[in-house]
């Protein structure tokens, strides 16, 4: 079966748009059944280039992750399985990779992973791996180029590097202002950012992951397409030329949006925050806004040069599919209009030429 890096290259060669989806292992048996049914529905509505399946915080769902990965494969989807260093011994990684290989799963997302629930700081497992770079190096050493390896990229900096820097963003550098987070906490304005010096170290580390064998980068969520554009330029400036796939988080519920952006220290543009706050008590209006925002950001990302669109579905299909369909319809209409204008221009040119020839 094909590797994602090859599929992306083929799409780029043909000038074709594509989408991909990320899912996570549900906590209940019924949730698993619902998700598997959703795989089929989403495949029929808009065939994704690939689908990510997360490993779960602290490696807590590793067996279910593998089971759902294989179910994806059986349904004709191309799985991209997450593999983390958290609570995972080397032997567990060896086993997981061999199971993938035995079942022709050729795509892996190599991650450090989040700390287990209830643990604030990440700690390496004895006999395991220290970081995603170690994991990439190990997989390449043991399996050569069999797997397409994706790694994480952080357009605003890794949450661990985003720090409180005062209350005045005007003191930040131009690049810092593109990724800073501004909050109101207990009536006090606070500015958080990954400083330029730390961001450079982040980019240096990302370059090491790519040099070690990573084939693609999937970004952390963001809500400003210009943040992605700046990150893409930073990657190219650092000599990183693999596909940089934007991860698009959906706005589905105000509580979940606030919790997730706070946890990840994500920059939220004031217009987005105000819209979410205004619609927080109206579920229908908020979801409609989430679709509109997703469509807007998707078009902006493609204009910045994104190779495709990767949706963090939160295991829900309606909003994801609504965004994907509208973007596809808009792009098709735009291409039709361009083709019509091109044909009209050619026809007008031909008419002028005929008129000139007749005068002769």
């Amino acid at each position: 079966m094909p590797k994602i890096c090859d599929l992306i290259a083929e799409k780029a060669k043909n000038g074709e748009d594509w989408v991909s989806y990320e899912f996570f292992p549900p906590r209940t048996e019924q949730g698993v059944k619902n998700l598997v049914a959703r795989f089929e529905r989403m495949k029929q509505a808009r065939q994704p280039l690939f689908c990510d399946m997360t490993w779960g915080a602290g490696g807590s769902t590793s067996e279910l992750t593998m089971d759902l990965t294989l179910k994806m494969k059986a349904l004709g989807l191309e799985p991209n399985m997450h593999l983390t260093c958290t609570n995972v011994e080397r032997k567990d990684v060896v086993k997981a990779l061999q199971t993938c290989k035995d079942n022709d799963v050729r795509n892996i997302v190599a991650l450090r992973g989040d700390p287990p629930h209830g643990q604030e700081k990440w700690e390496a497992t004895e006999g395991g791996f220290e970081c995603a770079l170690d994991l990439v190096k190990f997989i390449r050493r043991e399996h050569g180029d069999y797997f397409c390896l994706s790694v994480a990229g952080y357009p605003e900096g890794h949450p661990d590097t985003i720090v409180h820097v005062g209350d005045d963003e005007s003191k930040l550098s131009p690049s810092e202002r593109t990724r800073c987070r501004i909050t109101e906490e207990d009536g006090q304005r606070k500015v958080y950012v990954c400083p330029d010096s730390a961001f450079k170290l982040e980019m240096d580390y990302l370059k090491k992951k790519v040099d070690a064998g990573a084939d693609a980068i999937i970004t952390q969520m963001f809500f400003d397409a210009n943040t992605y554009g700046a990150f893409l330029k930073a990657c190219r400036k650092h000599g990183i030329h693999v596909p940089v796939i934007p991860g698009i988080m959906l706005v589905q519920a105000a509580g979940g949006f606030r919790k997730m952006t706070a946890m990840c220290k994500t920059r939220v543009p004031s217009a987005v925050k105000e819209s979410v706050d205004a619609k927080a008590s109206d579920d229908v209006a908020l979801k409609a806004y989430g679709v509109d925002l997703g469509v807007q950001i998707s078009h902006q990302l493609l204009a910045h040069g994104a190779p495709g669109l990767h949706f963090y579905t939160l295991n829900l299909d309606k909003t994801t599919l609504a965004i994907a369909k509208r973007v596809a319809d808009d792009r098709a209409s735009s291409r039709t209009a361009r083709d019509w204008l091109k044909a009209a221009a050619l026809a007008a040119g031909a008419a002028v030429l005929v008129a000139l020839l007749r005068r002769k």
Side-chain angles (χ1 to χ4, degrees), residues 57-87:
S60 57
T61 63
S62 55
E63 291 186 8
L64 183 53
T65 292
M66 181 63 74
D67 183 51
L68 288 168
T69 294
L70 299 183
K71 279 184 168 61
M72 281 183 181
K73 191 75 175 178
L75 288 170
L77 296 167
E78 198 57 54
N80 192 28
M81 191 186 82
H82 289 208
L83 191 58
T84 77
C85 306
T86 308
N87 282 352

Side-chain angles (χ1 to χ4, degrees), residues 13-330:
K13 178 182 176 182
N14 296 330
E16 297 174 351
D17 295 337
W18 56 268
V19 298
S20 55
Y21 309 136
E22 179 182 288
F23 303 100
F24 61 85
R27 296 180 179 180
T28 67
E29 185 177 341
Q30 186 58 50
V32 170
K33 291 180 181 178
N34 292 343
L35 182 59
V36 172
R38 193 164 282 121
F39 290 163
E40 186 64 36
R41 288 201 303 273
M42 295 185 78
K43 175 189 172 185
Q44 294 300 323
R46 177 70 190 273
Q47 176 80 36
L49 194 66
F50 61 89
C51 292
D52 279 22
M53 179 55 65
T54 70
W55 194 250
S60 57
T61 63
S62 55
E63 291 186 8
L64 183 53
T65 292
M66 181 63 74
D67 183 51
L68 288 168
T69 294
L70 299 183
K71 279 184 168 61
M72 281 183 181
K73 191 75 175 178
L75 288 170
L77 296 167
E78 198 57 54
N80 192 28
M81 191 186 82
H82 289 208
L83 191 58
T84 77
C85 306
T86 308
N87 282 352
V88 178
E89 295 182 16
R90 190 172 297 254
K91 63 180 178 61
D92 299 320
V93 171
V94 170
K95 179 182 177 183
L97 292 171
Q98 191 58 52
T99 301
C100 285
K101 209 166 185 178
D102 291 344
N103 289 275
D104 203 22
V105 174
R106 302 195 65 184
N107 302 293
I108 299 290
V109 184
L111 304 164
R112 187 199 72 174
D114 298 321
H117 289 299
Q119 183 176 313
E120 289 188 9
K121 291 188 177 182
W122 189 89
E123 296 178 1
T125 300
E126 186 176 350
F129 298 91
E130 292 285 338
C131 59
L133 177 59
D134 288 347
L135 192 54
V136 171
K137 288 179 177 178
F138 175 80
I139 295 172
R140 283 290 178 243
R141 184 171 67 248
E142 296 297 315
H143 296 279
D145 64 354
Y146 180 83
F147 292 105
C148 170
L149 300 180
S150 299
V151 293
Y154 297 88
E156 297 171 353
H158 190 281
D160 290 350
T161 69
I162 298 174
V163 295
H164 178 221
V165 293
D167 60 3
D168 185 2
E169 72 272 21
S170 69
K171 295 180 180 179
L172 303 179
S173 71
S175 60
E176 288 172 339
R177 284 197 290 272
T178 68
R179 57 179 184 271
C180 71
R181 171 179 168 84
I182 301 173
T183 66
E184 291 285 340
E185 301 174 24
D186 299 323
Q188 185 177 1
R189 178 186 175 87
K190 291 189 176 181
V191 178
Y192 296 85
V193 74
C194 172
D196 285 338
S197 57
F199 192 74
K200 182 183 182 304
L201 295 177
E202 288 275 299
M203 297 305 300
D204 291 343
Y205 178 63
L206 183 58
K207 179 69 161 61
K208 289 179 181 178
K209 290 193 287 187
V210 171
D211 289 347
D215 298 296
I217 297 164
I218 301 177
T219 76
Q220 173 72 292
M221 68 175 182
F222 50 82
F223 290 95
D224 184 344
N226 290 329
T227 301
Y228 168 83
F231 180 65
L232 183 59
K233 289 180 180 177
C235 285
R236 302 309 183 229
K237 185 177 179 180
H238 275 74
I240 298 170
H241 297 289
V242 299
V244 179
I245 304 165
I248 303 170
M249 179 58 69
L250 310 178
V251 177
Q252 307 239 38
F257 170 82
R258 291 166 183 153
K259 180 180 179 181
M260 193 164 296
T261 53
M263 180 179 68
C264 297
K265 303 178 182 178
T266 307
R267 176 175 179 268
V268 180
S270 57
V272 175
K273 181 183 182 303
E274 290 166 6
S275 294
V276 171
D277 288 346
K279 299 171 176 61
S281 60
D282 188 334
D283 186 61
V284 173
L286 183 61
K287 287 184 177 178
Y289 169 73
V291 172
D292 290 341
L293 179 64
V295 170
Q296 175 187 323
I297 290 176
S298 295
H299 282 306
Q300 292 170 341
L301 291 172
L302 293 170
H304 276 297
L309 303 171
H310 183 69
F311 292 99
Y312 295 123
T313 69
L314 303 177
N315 285 5
L316 300 172
D317 56 337
K318 291 182 180 178
T319 298
T320 302
L321 292 176
I323 294 171
K325 183 178 187 306
R326 275 181 52 184
V327 172
D329 289 346
D330 289 347

Side-chain angles (χ1 to χ4, degrees), residues 329-348:
D329 289 346
D330 289 347
R331 301 273 286 179
S333 296
S334 178
R335 281 192 292 270
T336 299
R338 286 199 302 270
D339 290 345
W340 184 88
L341 288 172
K342 184 178 179 180
L346 290 172

